[in-house]
């Protein structure tokens, strides 16, 4: 689940049983089941230059020394085939999700051999069929499997490996709970993600790229705790598994700030003359929003950039951090309207959460409702920026920026074209009525 506020219309994930069907959208060169590996490693304290991967314009991968780069971890290795990008098999789980589909598109564009795992019924509310998924993930091999069942997932992926005549080299996980509910968070953000790691490792993967969330720095919610538990086990595996037959295991943990989509829920209401709703004075929190395409590009960089190996990578979009009030002012300016704000006291949410927590003691079925309230409260007051636990403050300057897409340009496009392709689903600050 991305770090975005969820107040309304929480829906449960609908994972169906696995299918061992592999749909091929394009053909690629057959891969040697034992590709030549480039072993790139460095021990901490070493004075030697740390080798990096360079990918030239003709999609060749080469190793070259960096300028005295040092790694904090005990040892860092990445084992990838030398030669064409098409010889690198990248497994993407969560491929039909909001970010996942853009990651697949970007990896395909860069020339990787992409295997995308999808549910038989995917998308918001399970509305998309197998054919829809195959069309949406054009250029990738689509494997239909159930990520919540490790045995089923492994079997389906083993069949896929046989069809592509190779093994997996990299796993990219874009899995996230759609609702943020207690059970759903642990089922997806921990269990399903762990299943993907287990299956990927069993089938040869030596690098794992995890889409996490910047809000896990201050974990008060179940999905945050689930993500952190997986992050810790992923790091532990990399620390202990450094000299296996594949050249060691590595990871990249990507923690993005708020997505553009999560901030678009009020565009239509404001466009229709309604005030912009915000909590408190609209300055309780801030973020450096990032577009889905820029984030997909950053995630894809984690496959070839060794400076991103065995690191936790907070990332935001370009420009200054924006508060909700600043976002609203930007929207009114784009629309040519006089700013109108509706300030909602944060104490209203505190009262509702306290009441729900009390009721849960007698009505356990309200557990998720109480959690949704806490999620809403969290994003009303907590910034999506790098957090300094020593000062207890968020630091916009310490939050890295990446990409070219700005929220202003995104708002202009949504005002003109609507939210086609940016459906809010279960993840939104506010939804248009």
């Amino acid at each position: 689940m991305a770090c975005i506020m969820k107040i309304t219309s929480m829906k449960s994930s609908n994972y169906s049983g696995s299918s061992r069907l592999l749909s091929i959208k394009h053909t690629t060169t057959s891969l040697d089941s034992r590709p030549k590996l480039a072993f790139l490693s460095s021990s901490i304290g070493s004075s030697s230059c740390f080798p990096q991967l360079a990918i030239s314009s003709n999609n060749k991968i080469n190793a070259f020394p960096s300028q005295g780069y040092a790694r904090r971890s005990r040892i860092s290795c990445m084992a990838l085939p030398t030669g064409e990008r098409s010889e690198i098999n990248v497994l993407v789980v969560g491929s039909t999700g909001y970010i996942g589909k853009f990651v697949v598109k970007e990896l395909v564009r860069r020339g990787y051999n992409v295997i995308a795992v999808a549910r038989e019924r995917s998308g918001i509310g399970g509305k998309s069929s197998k054919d829809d998924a195959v069309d949406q993930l054009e250029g990738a091999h689509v494997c239909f499997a159930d990520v919540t069942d490790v045995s089923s997932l492994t079997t389906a992926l083993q069949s896929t490996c046989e069809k592509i005549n190779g093994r997996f080299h990299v796993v990219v996980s874009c899995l996230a709970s759609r609702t943020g509910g207690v059970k759903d968070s642990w089922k997806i953000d921990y269990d399903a993600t762990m299943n993907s790691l287990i299956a990927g490792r069993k089938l040869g993967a030596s690098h794992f790229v995890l889409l996490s969330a910047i809000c896990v720095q201050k974990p008060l919610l179940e999905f945050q705790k689930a993500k952190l538990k997986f992050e810790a086990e992923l790091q532990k595996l990399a620390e202990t598994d450094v000299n296996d037959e594949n050249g060691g295991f590595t990871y990249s943990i990507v923690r993005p700030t708020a997505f553009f989509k999560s901030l678009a829920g009020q565009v239509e209401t404001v466009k229709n003359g309604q005030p912009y709703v915000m909590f408190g004075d609209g300055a309780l929190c801030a973020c450096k929003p990032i577009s889905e395409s820029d984030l997909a590009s950053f995630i894809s960089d984690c496959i070839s950039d060794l400076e991103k190996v065995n690191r936790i990578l907070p990332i935001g979009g370009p420009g200054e951090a924006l508060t909700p009030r600043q976002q609203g002012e930007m929207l009114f300016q784009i629309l040519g309207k006089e700013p109108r704000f509706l300030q909602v006291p944060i104490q209203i949410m505190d009262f509702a959460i306290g009441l729900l927590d009390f009721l849960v003691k007698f009505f356990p079925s309200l557990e998720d409702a109480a959690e949704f309230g806490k999620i809403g409260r969290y994003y009303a007051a907590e910034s999506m920026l790098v957090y300094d636990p020593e000062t207890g403050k968020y630091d916009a300057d310490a939050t890295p920026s990446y990409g070219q897409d700005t929220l202003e340009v995104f708002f202009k496009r949504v005002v003109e074209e609507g939210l086609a392709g940016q459906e809010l689903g279960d993840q939104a600050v506010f939804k248009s009525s």
Side-chain angles (χ1 to χ4, degrees):
M1 187 182 74
C3 273
I4 47 187
M5 186 173 157
K6 304 173 182 180
I7 296 179
T8 61
S9 185
M10 302 295 175
K11 303 175 184 176
S12 62
S13 296
N14 180 25
Y15 285 89
S16 58
S18 66
S19 169
R20 298 173 190 176
L21 170 67
L22 177 71
S23 299
I24 306 296
K25 289 298 294 180
H26 72 157
T27 58
T28 58
T29 303
S30 295
L31 305 181
D32 182 357
S33 61
R34 293 185 178 180
K36 180 180 179 182
L37 300 179
F39 296 97
L40 308 175
S41 62
S42 173
S43 298
I44 196 165
S46 172
S47 61
S48 62
C49 295
F50 191 84
Q52 294 183 343
L53 289 181
I55 302 183
S56 60
S57 59
N58 63 356
N59 280 341
K60 294 287 186 178
I61 296 180
N62 305 295
F64 70 100
S66 68
Q67 299 300 316
Y69 181 75
R71 183 76 57 212
R72 287 183 299 173
S73 59
R74 178 161 57 93
I75 187 168
S76 298
C77 309
M78 181 180 283
L80 296 175
T82 59
E84 301 289 340
R85 278 183 176 178
S86 61
E87 294 180 0
I88 298 178
N89 296 335
V90 182
L91 175 67
V92 182
V93 291
S95 62
T96 58
Y98 175 59
I99 297 301
K101 60 189 176 185
F102 287 96
V103 169
V104 169
K105 181 179 179 180
E106 178 64 16
L107 290 171
V108 169
R109 186 192 69 79
R110 294 190 184 196
Y112 291 107
N113 187 41
V114 181
I115 299 88
V117 176
R119 292 171 290 160
E120 293 184 356
R121 302 295 304 182
S122 60
I124 298 171
K127 294 179 180 179
S128 298
S129 66
K130 288 182 180 180
D131 290 340
D132 292 332
V134 171
D135 290 340
Q136 186 180 69
L137 302 171
E138 184 176 4
H141 306 294
V142 183
C143 173
F144 293 97
D146 181 2
V147 293
T148 66
D149 183 337
V150 67
S151 177
S152 170
L153 177 63
T154 303
T155 299
L157 293 179
Q158 178 65 58
S159 176
T160 301
C161 282
E162 293 172 359
K163 290 178 183 294
I164 63 174
N165 191 30
R167 66 177 182 85
F168 298 121
H169 302 104
V170 181
V171 177
V172 178
S173 174
C174 297
L175 290 170
S177 165
R178 285 190 177 277
T179 70
V182 175
K183 292 182 176 62
D184 193 53
S185 292
W186 287 98
K187 179 181 179 181
I188 305 302
D189 292 301
Y190 180 77
D191 290 337
T193 311
M194 180 59 72
N195 290 345
S196 302
L197 173 60
I198 292 170
R201 287 292 292 133
K202 184 174 182 179
L203 297 172
S206 59
H207 187 55
F208 194 99
V209 182
L210 174 68
L211 174 60
S212 185
I214 202 168
C215 58
V216 301
Q217 302 169 106
K218 193 175 180 181
L220 302 177
L221 308 169
E222 288 302 312
F223 85 89
Q224 297 166 335
K225 296 171 185 176
K227 285 181 180 294
L228 278 179
K229 180 175 174 60
F230 179 80
E231 284 189 13
E233 295 189 20
L234 182 63
Q235 294 174 79
K236 182 178 180 180
L237 176 60
E239 284 292 320
T240 57
D241 187 6
V242 295
N243 289 309
D244 71 353
E245 66 271 18
N246 294 324
F249 178 77
T250 55
Y251 66 87
S252 298
I253 297 173
V254 181
R255 291 179 175 177
T257 181
F259 303 154
F260 282 2
K261 179 179 79 166
S262 67
L263 307 178
Q266 297 193 73
V267 172
E268 286 301 316
T269 55
V270 172
K271 186 178 179 179
N272 292 332
Q274 300 299 313
Y276 187 93
V277 182
M278 60 190 185
F279 292 97
D281 61 358
L284 296 176
C285 58
C287 64
K288 283 187 174 181
I290 189 168
S291 73
E292 66 282 350
S293 56
D294 280 341
L295 179 55
S297 178
F298 185 85
I299 290 172
S300 300
D301 289 346
C302 293
I303 294 176
S304 58
D305 182 0
L306 285 188
E307 292 196 9
K308 293 179 174 60
V309 170
N310 285 359
R311 291 187 62 188
I312 293 176
L313 303 162
I315 194 66
E320 300 295 321
L322 298 171
T323 65
R325 176 176 284 277
Q326 290 172 319
Q327 295 165 28
E329 291 171 346
M330 178 188 295
L331 183 54
F332 282 113
Q333 184 176 13
I334 291 171
L335 291 167
K337 294 176 177 289
E338 188 70 22
R340 290 178 57 212
F341 293 97
L342 175 60
Q343 297 182 220
V344 179
I346 195 74
Q347 290 78 9
I348 290 179
M349 301 187 76
D350 293 334
F351 174 79
I353 292 169
L355 177 61
L356 286 169
D357 277 342
F358 173 77
L359 292 175
V360 166
K361 298 176 183 178
F362 306 97
F363 305 100
S365 62
L366 293 176
E367 179 183 53
D368 277 354
E371 186 70 9
F372 299 153
K374 294 172 185 176
I375 291 172
R377 175 63 169 79
Y378 190 99
Y379 293 112
E382 302 291 340
S383 292
M384 298 299 102
L385 301 169
V386 168
Y387 179 71
D388 185 342
E390 293 185 1
T391 63
K393 296 180 179 180
Y394 292 97
D395 190 342
D397 292 334
T399 306
S401 295
Y402 181 90
Q404 302 295 323
D405 299 337
T406 65
L407 184 64
E408 181 178 11
V409 171
F410 172 75
F411 275 169
K412 288 179 179 178
R413 185 169 72 247
V414 173
V415 166
E416 295 174 359
E417 304 173 7
L419 280 167
Q422 294 280 343
E423 289 77 10
L424 298 176
D426 309 315
Q427 301 173 332
V429 177
F430 294 98
K431 289 188 178 184
S432 302
S433 57

